[in-house]
Amino acid sequence: MYNATSTKELQSAGSSFLKALPAIDVAQIEKLRDVLRFHEYRYYVLDEPLIADEEYDRLYKALAAMEKQHPELVTKDSPTQRVAGALNTAFPTVSHLVPMLSLDNSYNADDLVDWDRRVREGAGQSEVDYCVEPKFDGASISLIYEDDLLTRGATRGDGVQGDDITTNIRQIRSVPLSARFSDYGIQQIEIRGEVLLTKKHFKAFNDKLAEQNLPPLANPRNAASGSLRIKDPEEVRRRNLEAFLYNVSYHVDAGVPNKVLETHAGTLKMLWDLGFRSPEKEKKVIRGIKGVIDYCQTFEAGRDDLPYEIDGMVVKVNSLELQDKLGMTTHHPRWAIAYKFKARQATSKLRAVEFQVGRTGAITPVAKIDPVPIGGVTVGSISLFNEDVIREKDLMIGDSVLVERAGDVIPYIVKSLPETRNGLEQPIVFPTDCPQCKSKLFKEPGEAVWRCVNIDCPAQVVERIIHFVSKDAMDIRSFGEANVRKFHELGFLPDIPSVYRLPFDKIRQMEGFGEKSITNLSAAIETSKQQPLHRLIFALGIRFVGETTAKTLAQQVSHLRDLAGLSLEQLQSIEDVGVKVASSIHQFFANNANLKLIDELETLGLNLQRGQQATQAGGSLHEQTFLFTGTLSKLKRSEAEAMVEAQGGKLLSGVSSKLNYLVVGEDAGSKLEKAKKIPQINILTEEQFIKMIGNQ
Ligand code: IVH
């Protein structure tokens, strides 16, 4: 962490480095490092940045420039020293200083009551203080600091030996490269923790994969453990991993008596004070098991509101002396137990596999299973992404399968259970022809996806229109998938422009279309003409161009047609646009049919220019942040969120001091409680929110 005692000083010091570079000496360069460490800590540990990313980048560059001039002044814990080149050898195997044991599990209140009885008996006490904290669902790591410097980071491995992944650990910016353990009289220390991806970063990562037609990562846990083994530290850095540190397994004192490490809560506080992301804010010290059970259950009820996945709570005896006295078995410590939340897994039977044609012609196998409830939702259909997934998971029709649905993650099949087969299972046969237009399917070398390459394939046309009108694209409310399909079948919707030429006189005659629904639909279609340019770019369905890329592209041009004028090189020079994406965009605009489509949309009155609509950054909620919690009664959550964004406001995924407004519906839970404790958050009812939006 940073060294300066005054955070005020660090806050103001940054700007002086940007005005003019001072004469470079040891003191100045170290001061700038400290400024950077301070801002890394605010951003990555506290999630409360004080400066814009660009300003941080400029400070970082200033430091890098100073260090380049004076390589002799570079230190191992300089913020510039996280970066590293690609690794070309395997990760060396290393031994842990103390074996990394697992935890004993409990699944209900009775299990905890039994465990508490055993602890009290072992302790010879009538009541015991426990420290309760989340059980992070990630990949275990161990870190060693010697003389205040991070010297090693390792995976758990088999508990005795793991992989040395120091280079990758250094890419996690909430892990300090140096920490003043010496202030606590500690010379060497091994700490344990968990690396994970927050839900937000996991989603962003999967969105990126989806933009490239790649199957998403199954869950944040797999994503974290996979990320730690990547040979390219740059890529590790881009994944924005988070590290929670929660245990000290071993330490060597520097001769000074160690006063702090008397309780587990004291350990968490020490780690927190040294700049680690320990569960200092989430933990609670509770006397007696009754309160422990309550705390576990409260956390379970609010698990979806947390920014990261947890699969339970860990209850630890708070006194370290008592921990020692209780000792451990060969498998787990007796002084701790995991309280596992209800699994979000279930088994079911795979009955059939259907093959769907996507808007780019990709054929997606979809598993149809006997519907099962998982975490409050009934799951009956699960995407299998491509043929390779079917082979890798060894799936057969009739198999029992293990299904998981973690938090916001889409459900997926974890594995088949071949041991339960009875011989009647049937292989899954991948089609050779398009299930819709019957043309032959193709697969490009190196790709896993089979495609129907007939661009007039009716299935693709319908999917393209469904995508065009969808929420994240042109957002034409009241134009659901079913109506698109129906209108297409009736010949009203042969292509995208026909969305704006629907024969309402004919639709009015159809069953199920009252005057009100027709007015709504036609108003929604009319309004969509004014959508911002990035939505139209996304709506066009250019391969590999997802929402993020569409936004980047929209910022580059003043008119949609300008994109057609960009060369491959120019496209590739745009940030985040690689060779593959660039050539797909280039191909799209080189196609006359697509240029004709764009002309037609312009003639129909759609906005093709950047900055032509009222929803730009200057909207009346500009920079204001919102979060919705509980059930809204008048608006759909998605509608309310769209209203905020339409006026330039931003949505946050969790309660923090960055939040300006929390809009509270019925049955609001932990978010409301948390927000009440942060004075700068305005809490609004749904009615107040509607009024506010109306007044803007
Ligand atoms: S304490 C000696 N605390 O859960 C016991 N473990 O299922 C050290 N885990 O291997 C573990 N959150 O990787 C502890 N707050 C927490 C944890 C936690 C997640 C993991 C850890 C452990 C596994 C056991």
Side-chain angles (χ1 to χ4, degrees), residues 101-103 105 133-137 139-140 156 192-194 246-247 279 311 314 316 333 335-336 338 340:
L101 296 185
S102 199
L103 286 170
N105 286 329
E133 67 200 36
K135 184 171 183 311
F136 303 101
D137 199 6
S140 299
R156 178 177 187 276
R192 299 257 150 106
E194 207 81 2
Y246 46 68
N247 241 53
D311 59 342
V314 184
K316 296 174 181 172
W335 46 263
K340 298 278 275 191

